[in-house]
Amino acid sequence: MNVAIAAVETSSIAQGMVVADAMVKTADIDVIESAMLSPGKYWVLIGGGVAPVRAAFQRGVEVAADTLLDSLFIPQLHEQVLPALRGTARAGGAGAADDALGVLETLTASAAIRAADAAAKAAAILVRDLR
């Protein structure tokens, strides 16, 4: 399980790949996702122990330089966030009272993860999907 996660989003696909390379060379981390988000935008999402993730994140932000769109570092990620991002979130059990739906829209993927983590930590909710 990844205790900490970090992400770096860039406005350049090529620079995003350079960022990913620098991050994995900096520390022993897991690459959760390294992909184009939309035309011209790239992100790298990593996980692992707090210290290695922090080191790789700091290096990624440094390498991104002026292409940096957004970034995040969460040392204690809520357990529901990654399954929602992967599309493997559990459904409500029998008799679950899913009588409300909340939708958050953000400009960046990093902001969406920060919002989902904060919401899950603030209330007894089920994070079902994160895109």
Side-chain angles (χ1 to χ4, degrees):
M1 163 140 180
N2 295 306
V3 174
I5 67 160
V8 175
E9 290 184 59
T10 65
S11 61
S12 163
I13 294 167
Q15 191 64 23
M17 291 179 177
V18 172
V19 166
D21 182 61
M23 291 172 84
V24 299
K25 289 178 177 174
T26 298
D28 183 20
I29 47 95
D30 296 321
V31 176
I32 298 169
E33 188 170 14
S34 180
M36 184 176 71
L37 291 174
S38 62
K41 288 176 66 176
Y42 197 89
W43 89 321
V44 183
L45 177 65
I46 63 169
V50 175
V53 168
R54 180 180 288 122
F57 167 70
Q58 290 170 339
R59 180 67 178 137
V61 168
E62 178 183 303
V63 171
D66 61 344
T67 67
L68 183 68
L69 289 176
D70 200 359
S71 63
L72 72 84
F73 172 72
I74 303 175
Q76 299 296 329
L77 185 69
H78 191 279
E79 65 189 15
Q80 291 186 42
V81 175
L82 283 181
L85 185 61
R86 291 181 177 130
T88 60
R90 66 176 176 82
D98 292 341
D99 59 354
L101 172 68
V103 177
L104 298 172
E105 292 185 58
T106 63
L107 187 58
T108 65
S110 295
I113 292 173
R114 279 193 301 275
D117 182 62
K121 288 175 178 173
I125 64 165
L126 176 60
V127 180
R128 288 189 184 261
D129 194 19
L130 186 57
R131 298 175 194 232

